[in-house]
Structures are given as structure tokens and as C-alpha cells.
Amino acid sequence: MKKRKLGSLDFQVSPVSFGGASISSEGRGYSFGYISEKEAIALLRKAYDRGISLFDAAPIYGHGVSETRMGKAFKDVREKVFIVTKSGVTWDENKQIIRTNDPEVTQRMLEQSLSDLKTDYIDLYMIHWPDQEVDIRIPMEVLQKGQDQGRIIHIGLCNTRLEDLEKAQEVASIVAV
């Protein structure tokens, strides 16, 4: 599969990406139903072997299952895949979905993603959803610190509004929307 430059970034990726919700298990969080870990890892490796190099994840996909499976699938080829993951959608003790950009939650989600993905860095880390209760600049400070530490290579926003994009850019360079 041919690769192309991802926007203004130096990384070459496949023009087709793999959405991690599809491997997120038994319908927990944002997911699409049952797939065993063995099948999920085989599917990820098959996609990689066929030239897919851009993989999208989020902790909410299967309540962490998607990222854990990607971590296992790509531990020996980590530098050859471009991983996108996100913060801002989490869950409570009853597995009820919560949208929040609280900075402590953002930091916790970043740490968990790094651990689950078995990596020292995230290629593109995004705020998954806006949060009307938290000024976007506050979690962006967490992401900027992560970028300064080399734990986040690029920062982006999902499902955003122009107002939040403009505010986020006051704190960090946003490379993807």
C-alpha cells in the first residue's frame, strides 16, 4: 500500500486507517460487539501486514481493551505504526460514560494509554469531545506538558468547535482536527 505524508507532519502513513473501536470486545464503552483478543490481535497484524500504518484508539473503546490489544499487537513494530488516541471520554465505577476534560482525568488517561499501548509516546493525542464545564486550555496544558516531555508527539482535537480550537491554539500547536 502506498503511503502519504500526514498533513504537515513528517510521518508517512497509509491513506486508510484502522478504527480501534472495532476490536474493543464485548460491547463495553464505545464498541461494536464481541471479538476475542486472539482474533483482534490477528486482525491488527493482518492490517499492518497489508500496509495499514495509521491506527486510531481511545480508552473508551472497550474500556481500555482496544488500546491493550493494540499494545500487544504492535510491541515489536511500534516505530512503524502511527497511533492516535484520545482523552475526554471515560467511565465511572458502574461503567457509565462520562465526558470530561478535567486536567486530572486527562493526565490519568494519558498515563493509562501509554501503559495499555505499551509505548513511551503517543504519535497523536487528541481531546475526544468538548466539555462545556472545563475551558479547553486547561487540559491542553496537560497535553503540552506531555509533549514537552516527549510522551506526546502531536496534539489534536476531535468533535470540536471553532471556539475551542482557537482557545486550544493559545496553549499548544494543534496539528489535527
Side-chain angles (χ1 to χ4, degrees):
M1 182 177 298
K2 291 184 179 183
K3 306 254 192 248
R4 63 174 67 152
K5 191 174 179 183
L6 181 61
S8 62
L9 309 181
D10 290 331
F11 201 90
Q12 297 279 321
V13 296
S14 56
V16 175
S17 67
F18 187 104
S22 64
I23 56 153
S24 57
S25 196
E26 297 81 24
R28 299 177 299 167
Y30 295 175
S31 66
F32 297 119
Y34 182 79
I35 182 170
S36 73
E37 180 172 279
K38 183 178 177 180
E39 292 169 317
I41 291 170
L43 180 60
L44 288 163
R45 288 306 295 223
K46 179 73 115 182
Y48 171 78
D49 291 343
R50 296 277 171 104
I52 305 290
S53 60
L54 178 57
F55 293 85
D56 175 73
I60 195 62
Y61 300 163
H63 295 134
V65 171
S66 178
E67 289 184 330
T68 299
R69 290 173 173 183
M70 280 190 193
K72 290 177 181 179
F74 300 133
K75 63 183 178 215
D76 62 331
V77 294
R78 174 60 186 97
E79 69 285 349
K80 296 180 181 178
V81 295
F82 191 95
I83 296 177
V84 179
T85 197
K86 306 164 204 74
S87 70
V89 184
T90 189
W91 57 94
D92 66 16
E93 62 278 352
N94 297 316
K95 303 288 186 182
Q96 296 299 307
I97 294 171
I98 301 168
R99 287 187 188 173
T100 180
N101 289 323
D102 177 276
E104 291 177 14
V105 173
T106 301
Q107 183 66 46
R108 186 183 78 233
M109 292 183 81
L110 171 60
E111 299 299 330
Q112 190 65 51
S113 290
L114 288 163
S115 176
D116 289 349
L117 288 163
K118 298 184 183 349
T119 187
D120 296 329
Y121 65 96
I122 305 295
D123 296 292
L124 175 59
Y125 198 85
M126 305 180 87
I127 300 286
H128 209 158
W129 284 95
D131 175 355
Q132 302 306 313
E133 304 298 317
V134 179
D135 185 310
I136 193 74
R137 291 172 286 212
I138 297 170
M140 293 312 300
E141 290 172 359
V142 174
L143 302 190
Q144 183 59 58
K145 181 179 177 186
Q147 188 174 50
D148 293 343
Q149 296 168 337
R151 303 172 89 205
I152 296 172
I153 307 303
H154 305 288
I155 299 171
L157 299 175
C158 288
N159 307 301
T160 196
R161 303 170 309 166
L162 180 58
E163 175 185 340
D164 283 335
L165 174 59
E166 290 169 344
K167 287 179 181 178
Q169 290 175 318
E170 294 173 17
V171 179
S173 175
I174 305 301
V175 301
V177 176

